[in-house]
Amino acid sequence: MNVNTAIQNGTIRTLCRQCGIRCGMKVHIRDGVIVDFSALDEQPEKREPICVKGRAAKELFYHEDRLLSPLKKKPDGSFMEISREQAFDEIAEKILHIRQEYGARSMGVWKGEAIGYFQEEDYARRFIHAFGSPNYLSNDSACFNGRYLGFLLVHGFWNSHPEFEHADLIILWGSNLAVSHPAYMREVVKSQKRGAKLIVIDPRLNQTTKRADIIVRPRPGTDGALAWGLCRHLIKANAYDQEFVDKYCIGFEAFSRSAEKFTPEFVQQQTGVKRQTINALAEMVSANLPRISVFPGIGLEHQENGVNDVRTIACLAALCGALDIKGGFTWPEAMGERKLSLCDEVSLRDEKPIGADRFPALYDYRWECHTMTAMDYMLGNGEYPLKGIIMTAANPAINNPNTRKVVQALSSLELLVVNDLFLTETAQLAHYVLPAASFLERSELHFHPKYQMVALSAKVAEVEGVHDEYSLWHDLAHRLGFGKEYFPWENEEQVNRWILEPTGISLEALQKHPEGIVFKPVRYEKYKNQRFPTRSGKVEFISQYLKELNLSEIPEYIPPRYLRHPDNNFPFILHTGARNPLYYHSRYHNIPKFRKAFPVAEMEMNPEDADRLGIENTEQVRVLSEIGAVQVRAKIVNSAQILPGFVEIPHGWQDSNVNLVTYDNINDPISGFPLLKGIPVRIEKIP
Ligand SMILES: Nc1nc2c(c(=O)[nH]1)N[C@H]1C(S)=C(S)[C@@H](COP(=O)(O)OP(=O)(O)OC[C@H]3O[C@@H](n4cnc5c(=O)[nH]c(N)nc54)[C@H](O)[C@@H]3O)O[C@H]1N2
Ligand SMILES: Nc1nc2c(c(=O)[nH]1)N[C@H]1C(S)=C(S)[C@@H](COP(=O)(O)OP(=O)(O)OC[C@H]3O[C@@H](n4cnc5c(=O)[nH]c(N)nc54)[C@H](O)[C@@H]3O)O[C@H]1N2
Ligand code: SF4
Ligand SMILES: [Mo]
């Protein structure tokens, strides 16, 4: 592996992108070799010391399995190395063929978590719209869009990172923050030290519940009832912010009528949470108004009715008068940068984006197609065929629900190109595999909405044979004839200058301040002088938009399917995807020291259940749903940790791939998210 570091000896200040938090980081280089990482000293209160995942960036960068050349699949299924020129020429030719045969919309792009949020993701968006297809697919069909939609439909804005440090009460709702976002958890703990209270709502005990003042353990998928119960309590006790509701909200009458039914008795019956706990929760909310910060996690979004549950929480926030205030639900302001994505300029709505007929909000609000529906289009069961995909930074053969169908669908494409650091399970299905650059090999802009801050990461090194994300889209676009118009910049530095130009912040200033520059000081109570960015300009307890789509205008509560239709054949309820501190979905499983610490996937189960089924600790068992089975090692945990009747299996494991049993076709009606928590399964001993 031939590596050229930006300097031979010394330190480069940049950002870590081993996870979505993007901590400031110093990269130490000795004789042209990356030897270590340490935390950036500037603004230490905002940043976490470099964690174990971050430090593993070195092992990944120099990993012996890294792809260093494009690969082409041979007829016998094996791969051969080819030149970059040949790979791009052939890929472009095949794309043109698909466009000619089936039309532009038969091509799509797919991005994964590793490059999500802004610039790198927007290259893919720009590319596919410039090509003439609306089909942008991503991991976000199962990540954060549910939350985003829930808040956007009610408030019109969302801040991905609440101001925990100023809150009096923090509610972590379906989120194991201590593991998933350790830097945010540090803020929570700091706030607790200054007197803030913490409520954690999670059926399972974990690192985060350990720190809670009150732990609430609802049956999975019943959170909506709990949220409605809290709203009812505030309304009945006249403890809600009447002035805010009267002046700045619509639909309160209808909402409060719907709240009537969520008596403590009804909520207890649905959630299994005792009335006393519900009352304690309600009292803690009332006592801490209005500085209340709620962080809803994927424990809600991965439910069948997650968006409505988040909408109810968003309504609760309005009742609390917690919107756009310090320590509440803060409303971030934009920087005014140029947008790479062409969605506003070239909408392509008329081209029938995949899934927009089923889940219109996903396209209307996020310009995303529905990734699960795309599988049907690949398999020839859509309105038109999807024939080619350029995929980058994603591993759906492990991470998407219903793996068997995903593999079938991807294998049936005429063209699958995968851009990745490694020959992953998904890359093995591809016709062409391209070697991807890691975050250390690119320079990109990062936005932190909470601080209204922008930062620039530094290109630390170049690896011979590997090209950055921008080159991928640039070089393809130029071969396809729209490069001059849409990808005119020669490199990422030119792109960065173009994005920043209207903001008055220079690239040079950002280079001097790798910790970031605040582009606008945070302001509160903006709503007193401007409309909320919803359709009506007010906070929407009921949604006319959803009503027009024949969806419930009220954020209705629907009990989870295992309560609606219990099935004796599948008597256990499976959660999937509890985060492991060392792994990131399917990533980092190839780091030997991590594998030593966590060698196999384990299914957590309650000792009573294990006893009843005669299952021993560490025994291999089979877990089945209607569509598949997965073999996994049983881990019998403390009886308090997981409720009887429930089991938990992490995702991201090749040998015990839990997505073999998850369904792609049980979806949230608004976001289309798959049900990944609360799946009815059966557990069998292996003879
Ligand atoms: N180390 C590591 N960190 C990560 C990731 C990773 O893979 N590894 N992934 C990143 C990504 S992309 C994401 S989206 C985030 C997700 O981060 P979070 O949103 O914080 O999600 P989790 O940490 O999985 O915690 C979800 C919690 O919801 C609980 N839960 C399950 N069902 C229900 C329910 O019905 N109701 C309630 N109230 N709770 C429920 C689960 O028990 C679990 O503790 O993590 C990010 N951080
Ligand atoms: N059952 C179940 N399934 C789930 C979840 C769950 O809770 N339960 N969680 C879901 C969620 S929230 C998410 S976000 C998805 C994540 O799904 P994916 O986006 O598919 O996530 P990763 O496994 O992180 O895959 C990222 C790929 O990017 C590659 N990569 C790393 N860095 C770079 C880079 O800089 N450039 C490029 N081009 N590639 C890079 C890695 O090698 C890896 O193969 O999984 C979802 N799947
Ligand atoms: S939390 Fe760890 S992996 Fe994530 S950005 Fe910070 S140092 Fe990197
Ligand atoms: Mo995610």
Side-chain angles (χ1 to χ4, degrees):
M1 186 170 172
N2 290 327
V3 176
N4 259 327
T5 44
I7 52 172
Q8 268 306 97
N9 282 291
T11 299
I12 297 177
R13 297 182 305 162
T14 186
L15 295 174
C16 176
R17 182 57 177 94
Q18 288 282 86
C19 88
I21 289 176
R22 299 165 295 164
C23 301
M25 149 163 131
K26 288 196 285 194
V27 183
H28 304 283
I29 298 173
R30 204 178 305 137
D31 298 329
V33 177
I34 298 170
V35 287
D36 204 2
F37 304 103
S38 62
L40 202 62
D41 314 319
E42 294 92 347
Q43 294 194 325
E45 80 282 2
K46 291 188 184 144
R47 301 298 168 89
E48 177 89 333
I50 299 305
C51 76
V52 57
K53 285 194 307 289
R55 290 199 307 276
K58 190 175 77 179
E59 279 96 325
L60 278 178
F61 182 87
Y62 290 111
H63 202 288
E64 58 179 2
D65 295 338
R66 253 195 92 166
L67 296 167
L68 300 173
S69 159
L71 303 176
K72 177 181 181 178
K73 187 166 277 165
K74 294 195 284 189
D76 69 2
S78 65
F79 284 102
M80 64 179 185
E81 290 191 358
I82 57 171
S83 73
R84 186 175 156 88
E85 281 302 298
Q86 185 189 340
F88 275 67
D89 287 347
E90 289 185 16
I91 293 167
E93 197 185 307
K94 293 199 156 80
I95 293 175
L96 289 174
H97 172 77
I98 288 174
R99 181 161 70 185
Q100 205 173 10
E101 281 290 300
Y102 312 99
R105 64 187 182 177
S106 287
M107 274 303 302
V109 295
W110 184 325
K111 78 90 201 170
E113 201 287 333
I115 58 155
Y117 307 131
F118 182 63
Q119 180 167 349
E120 312 294 319
E121 150 178 343
D122 281 351
Y123 295 146
R125 289 181 178 275
R126 186 175 183 86
F127 175 90
I128 200 65
H129 277 240
F131 178 72
S133 164
N135 289 323
Y136 170 82
L137 304 162
S138 92
N139 62 301
D140 297 326
S141 283
C143 181
F144 97 78
N145 270 326
R147 230 173 297 181
Y148 181 90
L149 285 174
F151 283 120
L152 253 63
L153 286 164
V154 180
H155 301 165
F157 64 85
W158 173 54
N159 198 337
S160 51
H161 180 183
E163 269 189 354
F164 296 129
E165 69 271 40
H166 302 306
D168 293 329
L169 173 63
I170 297 165
I171 305 180
L172 301 178
W173 204 322
S175 164
N176 183 6
L177 213 63
V179 173
S180 62
H181 300 82
Y184 299 178
M185 191 64 199
R186 201 166 61 157
E187 287 173 13
V188 172
V189 172
K190 254 198 203 160
S191 288
Q192 285 184 288
K193 286 189 183 141
R194 102 177 132 65
K197 296 283 178 238
L198 174 65
I199 295 172
V200 180
I201 305 178
D202 197 312
R204 167 177 168 260
L205 298 184
N206 54 38
Q207 303 291 87
T208 308
T209 49
K210 275 186 194 154
R211 308 224 49 127
D213 295 292
I214 300 184
I215 304 172
V216 184
R217 304 180 73 185
R219 294 190 188 101
T222 64
D223 300 86
L226 191 61
W228 272 104
L230 290 177
C231 291
R232 179 184 176 276
H233 177 93
L234 287 180
I235 296 168
K236 285 273 165 215
N238 256 330
Y240 70 99
D241 187 335
Q242 288 185 25
E243 192 194 336
F244 182 83
V245 169
D246 290 346
K247 270 198 186 154
Y248 303 108
C249 303
I250 56 163
F252 175 70
E253 294 298 312
F255 185 86
S256 66
R257 271 196 308 277
S258 297
E260 302 264 340
K261 113 173 180 210
F262 294 90
T263 59
E265 294 71 28
F266 180 73
V267 176
Q268 172 171 331
Q269 181 245 328
Q270 287 295 310
T271 60
V273 178
K274 295 224 165 67
R275 281 184 54 175
Q276 293 86 325
T277 311
I278 299 168
N279 285 336
L281 183 64
E283 272 156 31
M284 198 175 261
V285 170
S286 302
N288 286 286
L289 294 172
R291 287 198 182 182
I292 295 182
S293 227
V294 184
F295 188 89
I298 50 162
L300 300 182
E301 286 173 290
H302 285 172
Q303 296 295 343
E304 225 180 318
N305 193 34
V307 176
N308 276 331
D309 295 347
V310 176
R311 282 176 73 206
T312 313
I313 292 171
C315 293
L316 174 67
L319 293 175
C320 292
L323 263 57
D324 198 22
I325 63 163
K326 198 172 186 167
F329 291 68
T330 49
W331 173 3
E333 293 185 87
M335 182 172 81
E337 77 283 6
R338 283 207 186 98
K339 302 277 185 237
L340 277 166
S341 140
L342 296 171
C343 300
D344 291 329
E345 291 164 51
V346 191
S347 140
L348 298 177
R349 196 64 164 98
D350 296 340
E351 289 297 309
K352 306 213 167 181
I354 292 172
D357 51 342
R358 300 179 66 202
F359 308 108
L362 195 57
Y363 201 76
D364 292 348
Y365 282 87
R366 283 290 302 158
W367 304 97
E368 297 239 356
C369 294
H370 187 244
T371 302
M372 277 62 72
T373 305
M375 302 303 164
D376 295 321
Y377 278 62
M378 291 180 210
L379 291 166
N381 302 323
E383 197 170 325
Y384 55 88
L386 181 61
K387 288 288 182 182
I389 295 275
I390 315 283
M391 183 180 292
T392 180
N395 192 5
I398 293 285
N399 294 317
N400 269 53
N402 197 350
T403 302
R404 215 150 38 125
K405 182 167 168 188
V406 173
V407 170
Q408 245 175 16
L410 293 175
S411 306
S412 68
L413 289 169
E414 272 183 29
L415 176 68
L416 175 62
V417 179
V418 171
N419 186 52
D420 204 297
L421 304 176
F422 300 104
L423 192 60
T424 61
E425 296 76 7
T426 307
Q428 288 179 30
L429 307 173
H431 302 97
Y432 295 89
V433 183
L434 301 173
S438 73
F439 74 94
L440 292 166
E441 295 148 69
R442 59 180 185 250
S443 169
E444 63 184 306
L445 294 162
H446 294 265
F447 293 83
H448 298 268
K450 170 172 167 176
Y451 305 111
Q452 297 187 172
M453 187 179 89
V454 58
L456 178 75
S457 62
K459 185 164 175 167
V460 173
E462 263 178 6
V463 178
E464 194 181 304
V466 175
H467 292 78
D468 66 14
E469 211 71 24
Y470 179 65
S471 313
L472 164 67
W473 305 109
H474 169 275
D475 293 5
L476 271 182
H478 280 265
R479 278 175 174 78
L480 295 169
F482 55 88
K484 248 197 195 146
E485 188 176 355
Y486 289 110
F487 289 85
W489 314 283
E490 272 169 31
N491 52 41
E492 202 150 44
E493 185 186 317
Q494 289 185 9
V495 179
N496 293 337
R497 282 192 198 285
W498 177 83
I499 292 173
L500 281 174
E501 203 180 291
T503 69
I505 297 174
S506 72
L507 215 49
E508 286 67 25
L510 286 173
Q511 279 157 353
K512 269 197 216 122
H513 293 280
E515 78 281 10
I517 293 178
V518 172
F519 53 81
K520 217 179 247 183
V522 176
R523 299 184 300 151
Y524 304 105
E525 298 189 3
K526 300 181 285 295
Y527 63 84
K528 291 193 168 159
N529 304 305
Q530 68 191 76
R531 289 158 57 88
F532 278 101
T534 53
R535 243 208 201 179
S536 63
K538 295 195 165 189
V539 171
E540 299 191 352
F541 282 101
I542 57 169
S543 165
Q544 182 64 24
Y545 167 80
L546 291 176
K547 191 177 175 188
E548 285 163 20
L549 295 174
N550 284 326
L551 291 162
S552 167
E553 62 178 342
I554 288 274
E556 67 178 334
Y557 166 68
I558 303 172
R561 83 174 35 220
Y562 68 88
L563 292 182
R564 291 195 322 265
H565 318 288
D567 182 345
N568 289 338
N569 289 321
F570 299 101
F572 280 91
I573 301 306
L574 166 70
H575 294 286
T576 72
R579 271 49 180 160
N580 178 302
L582 299 185
Y583 299 129
Y584 219 74
H585 312 293
S586 69
R587 272 138 79 188
Y588 317 146
H589 287 251
N590 57 357
I591 296 193
K593 66 181 180 212
F594 289 1
R595 276 312 268 264
K596 217 169 152 192
F598 292 101
V600 292
E602 291 179 314
M603 175 183 78
E604 290 177 10
M605 73 186 304
N606 185 287
E608 277 175 40
D609 292 328
D611 224 31
R612 205 158 36 78
L613 298 182
I615 291 169
E616 302 283 335
N617 197 30
T618 75
E619 180 178 331
Q620 287 284 327
V621 294
R622 193 178 296 124
V623 178
L624 300 94
S625 71
E626 266 174 25
I627 59 160
V630 56
Q631 189 169 317
V632 63
R633 185 159 92 177
K635 180 181 180 185
I636 301 169
V637 295
N638 179 311
S639 67
Q641 187 168 325
I642 197 156
L643 300 169
F646 296 89
V647 289
E648 162 72 57
I649 306 180
H651 72 301
W653 292 83
Q654 183 182 25
D655 301 334
S656 293
N657 180 359
V658 75
N659 281 319
L660 285 163
V661 303
T662 57
Y663 298 90
D664 60 314
N665 60 354
I666 301 181
N667 307 100
D668 181 291
I670 300 175
S671 64
F673 268 38
L675 173 68
L676 295 176
K677 319 244 184 299
I679 305 149
V681 292
R682 177 164 79 236
I683 300 170
E684 288 178 354
K685 275 178 80 76
I686 297 172

